[in-house]
Amino acid sequence: MAKFAMLLLPAVAALTALATNPGAENEAVTVEAWGRGGALLYTLTAGTTTLRITDWGATITSLTMLDPRTGKDVDIVLGLDSLEPYMDGTSPYFGAIVGRVANRIKDARFTLNGTTYFLMGNDHNNTLHGGFIGYNNILWRSRVASKDPSSPSVEFLLYSYNTEQGFPGDIDVTVTYTLSGENELRVELIASTRNKMTPVNLAHHSYWNLAGHNSGSILNHTVKILASHYTPVDALLIPTGEIAPVAETPFDFLEPMSIGSRIESVPGGYDHNFALDKTVRDDEGLYHAVTLEDPVSTRKMEIWTNQPGVQFYSGNQIVRIEGKGGAVYSKHAGLCLETQGFPNAVNQPNFPSVILNSGDVYNHVMVHKFSSSL
């Protein structure tokens, strides 16, 4: 870990100087030192919406939007007040970029071109979100990409070396966060390999609560997932390899359903990959994946993406985490909707491939569109 911090200190020092800019509070992007080890915290502002991101794990720490009922700001992602709990393992991937391969890889191994690669097993001898030191546990390089008040943007960059956590090949990763006005958050993840073929499957891991991060359970939220099929899992949440229809199961969210209405029929709660239908596209060619809505505030979030799947996680394993502003997060305090390739695709030839060839570019886009009926 110290190696990454030492390599990145020159960039950190240069960027920290931006925080001393007089009048910075009037700018669309500001930056300040945050915690130990040279980490930074960026603040992006577009109208009444404010997004905060740290370069530790390229992590969103807060997203505040105006509540149309009260006129007050409401933070709709779970998070922590300081850097230390993100670093010491308290955070269950709150707001982070996870990789090199998001989700689970069975038995912490896979075979590519006749070579078996042994990974770091950090989840019941399986690999979860890249291993013990995934991308959420690394200090990224960072820079302001745009200070345009209508579309402020910050870019995070990472070099991931050959054999890191057992994965082959040297790759370069870029993540860009953009507020496209006050009602849209765009996340774009790009990766390329310098030499060897390697699996790449990045994901953004925010925990959402559209009523506010400190409002309690999300079980009354309604969700619509444009997926006629999902991938069933075993007792350790590894896909069995089947791509099964959602019809007549608790996984049928083709029409809006409250999360809590059938969750008791799903052992442990929702933590499953849905195979997107890809039937509704926008002008950019992104697929409409999910619509999430809080019935109290009437806040709605649509997610559009170019990925084949979305992992729906209902926050089943959150256990008394001390969050921002004195909030205490418990089971179902937030939910994740992670667009990505299918879990364990490296070991399931019938799943869409997550292998990145030399010379190719991995490009993952997810756009969050917010609205309210008030």
Side-chain angles (χ1 to χ4, degrees):
M1 194 71 62
K3 176 173 67 173
F4 287 101
M6 293 176 63
L7 289 172
L8 297 174
L9 281 175
V12 168
L15 283 166
T16 303
L18 294 173
T20 63
N21 182 14
E25 66 275 8
N26 298 317
E27 295 182 359
V29 182
T30 61
V31 59
E32 59 188 289
W34 201 50
R36 58 187 172 88
L40 300 172
L41 183 67
Y42 289 87
T43 301
L44 283 64
T45 304
T48 59
T49 298
T50 301
L51 173 68
R52 290 186 173 87
I53 323 163
T54 177
D55 51 0
W56 181 263
T59 297
I60 289 180
T61 64
S62 70
L63 177 61
T64 59
M65 312 188 85
L66 197 65
D67 188 327
R69 300 169 301 161
T70 64
K72 296 180 179 180
D73 288 336
V74 175
D75 189 346
I76 60 173
V77 295
L78 275 58
L80 307 163
D81 279 326
S82 63
L83 176 65
E84 283 66 28
Y86 287 100
M87 300 179 72
D88 67 13
T90 299
S91 170
Y93 306 99
F94 282 158
I97 297 298
V98 293
R100 171 178 311 193
V101 175
N103 220 306
R104 291 171 174 85
I105 296 177
K106 184 178 181 179
D107 297 331
R109 67 180 66 184
F110 67 95
T111 300
L112 181 61
N113 289 339
T115 299
T116 298
Y117 295 93
F118 296 91
L119 311 175
M120 297 295 178
N122 61 328
D123 182 64
H124 301 286
N125 295 319
N126 303 307
T127 298
L128 175 63
H129 294 328
F132 285 107
I133 305 178
Y135 293 171
N136 61 298
N137 279 324
I138 294 176
L139 188 66
W140 296 53
R141 292 181 293 126
S142 55
R143 66 184 184 187
V144 176
S146 170
K147 287 194 172 187
D148 184 337
S150 66
S151 57
S153 183
V154 175
E155 187 175 79
F156 298 88
L157 306 100
L158 177 69
Y159 163 64
S160 182
Y161 60 88
N162 180 44
T163 73
E164 184 177 20
Q165 300 297 292
F167 290 100
D170 301 279
I171 70 170
D172 297 288
V173 182
T174 303
V175 179
T176 305
Y177 292 100
T178 304
L179 284 179
S180 303
E182 58 186 5
N183 293 315
E184 185 173 298
L185 167 64
R186 180 185 180 93
V187 184
E188 185 165 6
L189 306 99
I190 296 174
S192 58
T193 176
R194 299 184 183 185
N195 34 55
K196 298 179 180 179
M197 295 172 63
T198 187
V200 176
N201 184 25
L202 308 176
H204 172 66
H205 209 292
S206 274
Y207 286 70
W208 303 95
N209 188 322
L210 298 185
H213 78 101
N214 57 352
S215 65
S217 173
I218 48 77
L219 292 183
N220 68 332
H221 281 41
T222 62
V223 64
K224 177 180 180 178
I225 304 176
L226 282 76
S228 300
H229 294 79
Y230 78 109
T231 51
V233 296
D234 64 17
L236 296 180
L237 300 174
I238 302 293
T240 62
E242 181 185 7
I243 302 175
V246 300
E248 300 181 1
T249 77
F251 301 94
D252 186 350
F253 290 98
L254 288 168
E255 296 297 329
M257 295 288 294
S258 70
I259 295 168
S261 63
R262 298 170 298 176
I263 196 169
E264 296 301 325
S265 300
V266 182
Y270 293 103
D271 194 358
H272 296 76
N273 169 66
F274 288 74
L276 296 174
D277 288 341
K278 306 180 183 179
T279 51
V280 181
R281 299 193 186 196
D282 65 7
D283 293 339
E284 191 180 352
L286 302 180
Y287 315 117
H288 186 190
V290 177
T291 298
L292 179 71
E293 184 171 7
D294 167 44
V296 178
S297 67
T298 75
R299 181 173 288 108
K300 182 183 296 184
M301 178 178 73
E302 294 181 357
I303 299 179
W304 296 71
T305 189
N306 59 356
Q307 294 300 290
V310 60
Q311 184 82 8
F312 170 34
Y313 172 55
S314 52
N316 317 309
Q317 299 179 48
I318 302 173
V319 180
R320 195 171 176 78
I321 297 174
E322 295 185 9
K324 294 175 287 190
V328 177
Y329 303 141
S330 300
K331 186 176 183 179
H332 306 313
L335 65 101
C336 301
L337 294 162
E338 310 153 60
T339 60
Q340 57 188 261
F342 290 9
N344 198 38
V346 290
N347 292 310
Q348 291 290 354
N350 61 315
F351 286 0
S353 176
V354 295
I355 301 301
L356 182 66
N357 296 307
S358 181
D360 291 343
V361 175
Y362 169 92
N363 180 259
H364 176 175
V365 178
M366 57 188 314
V367 175
H368 307 76
K369 300 180 180 181
F370 299 94
S371 62
S372 171
S373 61
L374 294 181

